[in-house]
Amino acid sequence: MSQGSPGHWAPLDPTPGPPAPPNPFVHELHLSRLQRVKFCLLGALLAPIRVLLAFIVLFLLWPFAWLQVAGLTEEQLQEPITGWRKTVCHNGVLGLSRLLFFLLGFLRIRVRGQRASRLQAPVLVAAPHSTFFDPIVLLPCDLPKVVSRAENLSVPVIGALLRFNQAILVSRHDPASRRRVVEEVRRRATSGGKWPQVLFFPEGTCSNKKALLKFKPGAFIAGVPVQPVLIRYPNSLDTTSWAWRGPGVLKVLWLTASQPCSIVDVEFLPVYHPSPEESRNPTLYANNVQRVMAQALGIPATECEFVGSLPVIVVGRLKVSLEPQLWELGKVLRKAGLSPGRVDTGAEPGRSRMISQEEFARQLQLSDPQTVAGAFSYFQQLFAEEQAEGPGRLLYRHGFSTILHLLLGSPRPAAATLHAELCQAGPHQGLSLYPLAFCLLTLACPGQFQAFSLHDPLHGKLFNTYLRPSPKPQASVPGSPMALANGTVPAPKQKGD
């Protein structure tokens, strides 16, 4: 890979940027001594009765759900159910569902705004998605159709309710399933009011309600108007949030059932009509609706999402894990007083060499033997995949992807794409390992990151181009030809990961 000139890349702005948004995947519940006593008493007296009665009502839902689809063929279920089945079973499930949430402590559902008709908005998008209690939003929406995992059909009672709902099912194990789901969503959304509305949780996973996760484009593929629906739990203590790291299912259920009264607010925002460009670009459509909802909620709209089993955030054009597996390396090196500017001056440009533990300690100016052994162990693990990369000591695609995955948690396909773009200007298909090692280590030490990246000629492009935050869109000007249907502007286009 040719080194190029640092002047070809716009350097990072050395001025500090805005504070980072809170991690939306972490929910910490801090209880005072008085609150602990209250939950011990109510948890022993009130919660068991509430949970028991709620489960009884849940099983009472099954006959109504079964009756609506009993005797119908798969072909008949491809059309909306009407007649006595719709009247009796729909009202029965709606009433029992409200009773179920009431028994769990949700004594009040406060509704603001007006729900649009199915002709005005065939699709509803609800956010923030923060808990397994969020299906309560189905009640003021008159039980719209939902999208769910096909695996949930095998869950007792829940599977019967999904069949009753005529839910759109997606299977994670069938590659063609997503394409069929897209076609079914488009068919129902463009049925001219024949089908009831379809409700999506576009974030796709739960958060702590402190920021909106990145919206997935599935709800916006049909290009039809959508109505945003906001969900708030304005209670003095947040016992409902069920985040990636935080209280588990049983604890959330028990604490919420121990509350004397829980309140949920459901707010219907005005229908969002997409512009022609948004109708053609579901990702742009999703991003603009996300910003509208975040503004109404008063919380930031983020690029955070789940990729596999890891929460990630987009940094420039690279997805980086919010909590990488080797993030402890940064703590070790910061404690040891790492100086990232001390790169290996003895290595030739474009080449690298393996170093011993003694040289590793000398380069980083480490003296404590325990710290040296710990840091060098992480270093060896980080570059273990590089050993068989080739005689030129260049870092090829597999090793580069492994490094970014271990240190930053970046998905391997995204890292492979980045490697290809970094290498396309040079005669080789690899990157020099040793300078890159210190570039990546500085990511574990963000306070020292900018100074080093601005002065490294070989891998400056990695930081200045691929890890540089995207510019924020400016507010639209009335009458501007770029303004969209609801007064927002298109987000800057980025290369796909």
Side-chain angles (χ1 to χ4, degrees):
M1 171 181 170
S2 61
Q3 294 186 16
S5 170
H8 292 169
W9 312 314
L12 288 173
D13 185 358
T15 59
N23 187 337
F25 297 106
V26 177
H27 176 56
E28 297 178 350
L29 188 61
H30 302 286
L31 300 177
S32 65
R33 183 174 300 179
L34 179 61
Q35 289 173 328
R36 291 178 183 274
V37 172
K38 184 187 73 171
F39 277 114
C40 286
L41 293 176
L42 295 180
L45 300 175
L46 184 60
I49 299 174
R50 279 182 166 177
V51 173
L52 177 61
L53 293 176
F55 271 96
I56 293 176
V57 172
L58 180 63
F59 281 95
L60 289 177
L61 285 167
W62 180 82
F64 289 94
W66 173 83
L67 182 62
Q68 175 161 295
V69 298
L72 298 181
T73 64
E74 289 298 325
E75 183 178 354
Q76 290 174 311
L77 291 176
Q78 296 304 310
E79 298 296 328
I81 295 175
T82 58
W84 68 268
R85 292 175 184 263
K86 168 73 173 179
T87 303
V88 174
C89 298
H90 179 89
N91 292 332
V93 169
L94 184 62
L96 286 174
S97 297
R98 181 63 189 98
L99 177 60
L100 185 149
F101 282 104
F102 182 87
L103 292 174
L104 288 175
F106 292 94
L107 307 185
R108 298 180 63 188
I109 301 178
R110 301 187 302 200
V111 179
R112 302 174 182 175
Q114 184 175 2
R115 181 172 66 95
S117 68
R118 63 181 70 176
L119 286 174
Q120 294 171 317
V123 175
L124 304 173
V125 288
H129 186 22
S130 62
T131 177
F132 49 81
F133 292 121
D134 282 344
I136 197 172
V137 76
L138 296 174
L139 304 183
C141 296
D142 197 31
L143 300 183
K145 308 306 178 185
V146 299
V147 179
S148 178
R149 294 186 301 170
E151 294 79 6
N152 291 335
L153 282 176
S154 60
V155 180
V157 183
I158 302 300
L161 290 173
L162 290 176
R163 294 186 184 91
F164 156 84
N165 184 261
Q166 294 182 279
I168 301 173
L169 302 175
V170 56
S171 173
R172 295 183 177 182
H173 307 294
D174 183 4
S177 175
R178 294 186 181 275
R179 178 179 53 82
R180 291 196 296 268
V181 167
V182 169
E183 294 173 353
E184 182 64 15
V185 170
R186 182 178 286 113
R187 182 178 76 89
R188 296 191 185 189
T190 57
S191 64
K194 181 180 178 181
W195 276 93
Q197 292 166 309
V198 182
L199 184 137
F200 286 84
F201 293 100
E203 294 170 290
T205 191
C206 292
S207 69
N208 59 13
K209 300 189 283 285
K210 295 180 180 178
L212 282 188
L213 307 183
K214 182 179 179 62
F215 279 14
K216 299 184 183 301
F220 309 92
I221 288 177
V224 298
V226 303
Q227 183 172 31
V229 183
L230 308 182
I231 309 174
R232 298 184 181 93
Y233 295 87
N235 303 296
S236 57
L237 185 64
D238 183 9
T239 61
T240 60
S241 289
W242 182 47
W244 177 65
R245 180 192 293 175
V249 175
L250 293 180
K251 186 174 182 179
V252 169
L253 177 62
W254 206 258
L255 289 176
T256 303
S258 301
Q259 291 275 62
C261 175
S262 296
I263 300 174
V264 58
D265 286 345
V266 177
E267 181 179 357
F268 294 98
L269 295 184
V271 175
Y272 190 106
H273 296 273
S275 69
E277 185 176 359
E278 288 174 313
S279 297
R280 295 188 299 267
N281 187 343
T283 300
L284 173 64
Y285 191 1
N287 292 341
N288 287 337
V289 173
Q290 181 204 32
R291 286 199 291 270
V292 168
M293 297 181 72
Q295 184 177 7
L297 289 163
I299 59 177
T302 71
E303 293 285 321
C304 298
E305 61 178 328
F306 251 85
V307 175
S309 59
L310 281 178
V312 302
I313 188 171
V314 175
V315 180
R317 284 149 59 184
L318 187 67
K319 292 182 178 179
V320 177
S321 175
L322 284 171
E323 302 207 357
Q325 298 175 11
L326 292 185
W327 206 254
E328 303 94 329
L329 176 60
K331 300 176 183 177
V332 173
L333 296 179
R334 285 197 302 273
K335 183 178 180 180
L338 169 66
S339 176
R342 295 181 57 83
V343 298
D344 185 8
T345 56
E348 299 179 14
R351 298 177 64 84
S352 59
R353 56 188 175 85
M354 299 304 295
I355 63 174
S356 64
Q357 181 169 318
E358 292 74 17
E359 185 176 1
F360 178 83
R362 179 177 58 80
Q363 287 282 344
L364 301 185
Q365 298 178 328
L366 306 178
S367 56
D368 179 58
Q370 186 176 0
T371 301
V372 171
F376 189 70
S377 174
Y378 280 121
F379 187 87
Q380 285 184 313
Q381 182 180 359
L382 179 63
F383 298 108
E385 295 290 337
E386 190 274 334
Q387 299 296 327
E389 289 290 2
R393 315 313 306 169
L394 295 176
L395 190 63
Y396 293 93
R397 182 177 64 181
H398 180 68
F400 182 77
S401 302
T402 300
I403 288 171
L404 287 187
H405 180 71
L406 286 175
L407 184 60
L408 303 180
S410 301
R412 294 180 188 271
T417 301
L418 171 58
H419 180 275
E421 295 192 24
L422 287 173
C423 292
Q424 64 183 1
H428 306 291
Q429 293 301 311
L431 305 174
S432 175
L433 171 62
Y434 195 78
L436 177 61
F438 279 93
C439 289
L440 292 173
L441 293 182
T442 56
L443 283 175
C445 307
Q448 303 165 359
F449 157 62
Q450 280 194 351
F452 177 62
S453 66
L454 290 175
H455 294 92
D456 184 75
L458 186 62
H459 294 93
K461 189 175 183 180
L462 174 65
F463 300 110
N464 291 325
T465 301
Y466 296 93
L467 296 182
R468 185 175 191 169
S470 304
K472 294 184 178 180
Q474 301 296 322
S476 61
V477 179
S480 169
M482 290 299 292
L484 299 179
N486 279 34
T488 56
V489 295
K493 294 184 178 180
Q494 303 174 351
K495 287 191 176 180
D497 292 315

